[in-house]
Amino acid sequence: MKGAALSPLGKLLRRPWYWFWHFLAKFFFQGRSYTIHVPFGDRVFTPWFDLDSSSNFAQIIRIVQANGPLVVSPDRCYLLYQLACQAAHLPGDMAECGVFTGGTAQILAEVLTRHHSSARLHLFDTFSGMPDTALPERDYHSPGDFSGTSLEFVRNRLRAYASSCEFHPGFMPDTFSEVVNVPQYSFVHIDVDIYLSVLACCEWFWPRLVPGGVMVFDDYGFYSYRHAAKAGVDEFFADKIEQSLVLPTGQALVIKSFSDNSEK
Ligand SMILES: C[S@@+](CC[C@H](N)C(=O)[O-])C[C@H]1O[C@@H](n2cnc3c(N)ncnc32)[C@H](O)[C@@H]1O
């Protein structure tokens, strides 16, 4: 397996490459609800670019961005938001594995608030950076990446949702022992980036997901995560009846079947 870490040249070119694409997106797409679908040329509905609108999603993104960093791109936030709204009508709590500075966690907390839900939002992270279990031959990230946060920062950011959020700081899967009494989940966002963490999250949450419940995996489709997030999801679901649905945003999602929870 070829190492996933970037070469020194790749690291050097990374920033200008993303600046270039951000410039294009800002210039041609931002503020428009219909944009061009690259590379097919169709004009398609892309509400995640129209963040000045009065839609619930645009309102939430403005609240989240006024409150702190949002590192996940708007198209992925939109999918997360829509899927969480659908799952908010199901029984069970919600969870996010991989919180960092709390951007996507705040979207989920807003969803629960706006649905007047009594479900809890469980938030799992070291809150001090990637653990030592990142594998150089698989993972794009190294131990200590994402250390620019703290439990205190995220708690403060989410203080308006204190009645629904439960923090579980520390290493997953060790911190799953704090939720042994939570019987079921309607929605789980897994944004942990590295192979062993993705597997650990699948093993804990999949058996506890209610039928119709959704697990969303960030980074699944990104090339740099092919041996990491994607490998973990593919390996875990290889013997399950459910199919992972790959999205053009780079995410993947899996919906728990109503008919059968057993393996293939
Ligand atoms: C990409 S960041 C999450 C981004 C976040 N969703 C947001 O909106 O900013 C990935 C996070 O996963 C956490 N993480 C990865 N593996 C972990 C593990 N085994 N235990 C605890 N935290 C882990 C890292 O600490 C990091 O903060």
Side-chain angles (χ1 to χ4, degrees), residues 156-175:
N156 186 44
R157 181 177 192 170
L158 300 182
R159 65 190 181 284
Y161 319 91
S163 58
S164 56
C165 291
E166 278 187 30
F167 291 86
H168 304 284
F171 175 68
M172 287 176 278
D174 295 356
T175 47

Side-chain angles (χ1 to χ4, degrees), residues 234-241 262-264:
D234 290 350
E235 197 176 307
F236 182 81
F237 287 99
D239 64 355
K240 308 288 180 294
I241 59 169
S262 65
E263 299 183 346
K264 267 179 200 165

Side-chain angles (χ1 to χ4, degrees), residues 47 50-60 62 78 81 114:
D50 195 8
L51 296 179
D52 296 328
S53 79
S54 58
S55 72
N56 286 337
F57 173 70
Q59 282 175 27
I60 289 178
R62 287 197 293 270
Y78 181 78
Y81 164 75
R114 288 172 183 234

Side-chain angles (χ1 to χ4, degrees), residues 181-242:
N181 293 328
V182 178
Q184 53 187 14
Y185 294 86
S186 61
F187 185 86
V188 184
H189 181 216
I190 298 181
D191 187 7
V192 287
D193 297 6
I194 62 174
Y195 171 74
L196 288 174
S197 299
V198 170
L199 269 182
C201 293
C202 287
E203 276 156 16
W204 183 263
F205 287 103
W206 182 251
R208 294 168 175 82
L209 197 68
V210 297
V214 185
M215 268 167 75
V216 179
F217 296 90
D218 201 56
D219 303 311
Y220 175 95
F222 294 129
Y223 183 73
S224 307
Y225 296 79
R226 66 199 180 283
H227 302 309
K230 181 176 187 301
V233 174
D234 290 350
E235 197 176 307
F236 182 81
F237 287 99
D239 64 355
K240 308 288 180 294
I241 59 169
E242 287 84 355

